[in-house]
Amino acid sequence: MASGAMSDAVSDMTSEVASELMSGRQATEPPRKLTYSDYLGLDTLLASQHPRSPDHNEMLFIIQHQTSELWMKLMLHELRAAIAQLHDDALPAAFKMLARVSRILEQLVSAWTVLSTMTPTEYSVVRPYLGSSSGFQSPQYREIEFVLGNKNAARVEVHDGPMREHLTSVLHAPSIYDEAIGLLARSGFAVDPKTADPTVPRPFDEAVEAAWLTIYRDPQQHWRLYELAEELIDLEDAFRQWRFRHVTTVERIIGFKPGTGGTGGVSYLRKMLDVVLFPELWKVRTDL
């Protein structure tokens, strides 16, 4: 072979080997370093605020509600899991999840203090830009109510499409209290875990009241159920405080004006304060 031809062949071989080596290096290189921003999706998250008014204070109003929706997403994540754990008699895990939900509600209560820095004058500038949008339309809040047992089929009609289908399924599914009463039945108490109509709040049941009373009178004998009862009371206590702080903040900002979604505003929210999620557990306090 002529020296020129041999030189070309060696050059080609060298290029091929170099290409293979480079390809091998690229195949074994670690993926691009995951950043804080990548992990949290901050580009999307921080670009999700779109004020419609020229007013400085609208950013507060948007972020208050967006962060509340994120906390509610975590609440539902924990509540769904707690229902599954109760169904499987895995109480320690359920207790952890219920305790976490109560702490989330504390965060939501505190958040109202930030929104309360918006004065009626400031809100009146933003309000015309809200149109008919309202927190009443929050599908996650509606689902939380259903999961906690405050069911109302009419509330499903506010939503359309897949969300309506999803909320309809939640409406018919057992609530956290349904699962707690099911556990009472499996533990030997004479209670009926079934409810005649799963789409409405469970009616007060004297047999369930008697079961909880037995548990509270001898907590050492029924410690798991006693602890469950207290976790549920903590949960409803925190939920009531969230609703109360909501009412107070709304009244502070808009008084008794109607809500943007067509509700009575404060008058509607005050009615919600009378809702009792776990009535037999509260009645036991009087019985003891």
Side-chain angles (χ1 to χ4, degrees):
M1 181 182 292
S3 61
M6 182 176 292
S7 176
D8 289 342
V10 171
S11 178
D12 290 343
M13 185 180 297
T14 302
S15 297
E16 184 177 345
V17 170
S19 177
E20 289 177 359
L21 289 172
M22 180 62 71
S23 176
R25 276 202 303 273
Q26 289 175 343
T28 58
E29 283 180 356
R32 185 173 69 87
K33 185 178 180 181
L34 181 68
T35 67
Y36 177 81
S37 181
D38 293 336
Y39 180 69
L40 296 179
L42 290 184
D43 288 346
T44 300
L45 184 65
L46 298 180
S48 296
Q49 294 74 47
H50 306 289
R52 294 172 176 267
S53 77
D55 190 74
H56 167 84
N57 298 286
E58 189 179 356
M59 186 64 77
L60 162 61
F61 192 80
I62 291 172
I63 290 177
Q64 158 78 22
H65 289 84
Q66 286 183 337
T67 53
S68 293
E69 290 291 337
L70 286 172
W71 281 121
M72 284 191 281
K73 182 174 183 176
L74 182 56
M75 281 179 64
L76 285 168
H77 176 71
E78 299 294 340
L79 285 169
R80 293 187 197 108
I83 285 175
Q85 296 295 338
L86 285 179
H87 185 77
D88 293 338
D89 293 350
L91 268 65
F95 295 159
K96 173 70 174 181
M97 294 161 183
L98 291 173
R100 181 171 292 165
V101 173
S102 296
R103 300 296 83 77
I104 292 168
L105 284 163
E106 289 177 6
Q107 292 291 321
L108 287 166
V109 169
S110 296
W112 289 119
T113 63
V114 182
L115 187 61
S116 66
T117 64
M118 176 179 276
T119 67
T121 304
E122 292 166 346
Y123 179 71
S124 66
V125 177
V126 174
R127 179 168 176 149
Y129 293 88
L130 303 180
S132 60
S133 65
S134 167
F136 180 76
Q137 300 158 351
S138 168
Q140 290 199 124
Y141 178 76
R142 194 64 57 209
E143 184 171 352
I144 288 168
E145 283 202 312
F146 289 177
V147 168
L148 294 179
N150 186 25
K151 297 184 177 182
N152 186 331
R155 299 286 183 254
V156 177
E157 303 305 313
V158 175
H159 307 277
D160 297 313
M163 184 50 65
R164 177 180 291 189
E165 294 178 10
H166 173 67
L167 287 174
T168 298
S169 69
V170 177
L171 184 71
H172 287 83
S175 70
I176 190 83
Y177 198 45
D178 290 332
E179 289 295 350
I181 293 172
L183 181 59
L184 290 178
R186 293 193 300 276
S187 300
F189 289 93
V191 298
D192 185 357
K194 297 179 181 178
T195 181
D197 185 355
T199 68
V200 298
R202 176 183 280 271
F204 187 91
D205 188 331
E206 291 182 355
V208 171
E209 177 192 7
W212 288 125
L213 185 58
T214 298
I215 291 163
Y216 270 86
R217 281 178 171 161
D218 191 356
Q220 294 301 326
Q221 179 69 24
H222 309 284
W223 187 259
R224 292 192 320 154
L225 297 173
Y226 178 71
E227 188 172 358
L228 172 60
E230 285 298 292
E231 290 289 356
L232 291 172
I233 285 292
D234 281 348
L235 175 58
E236 183 164 1
D237 189 343
F239 191 68
R240 287 182 181 188
Q241 292 184 51
W242 181 32
R243 287 189 300 197
F244 177 77
R245 197 69 184 89
H246 184 190
V247 173
T248 304
T249 303
V250 172
E251 184 174 356
R252 174 174 176 155
I253 295 175
I254 71 168
F256 283 83
K257 295 185 183 73
T260 50
T263 69
V266 168
S267 62
Y268 168 77
L269 293 173
R270 282 189 173 176
K271 289 179 182 178
M272 295 300 100
L273 295 178
D274 293 330
V275 173
V276 181
L277 299 172
F278 316 133
E280 296 87 356
L281 279 173
W282 291 100
K283 178 64 165 53
V284 162
R285 269 76 188 152
T286 304
D287 297 335
L288 286 169

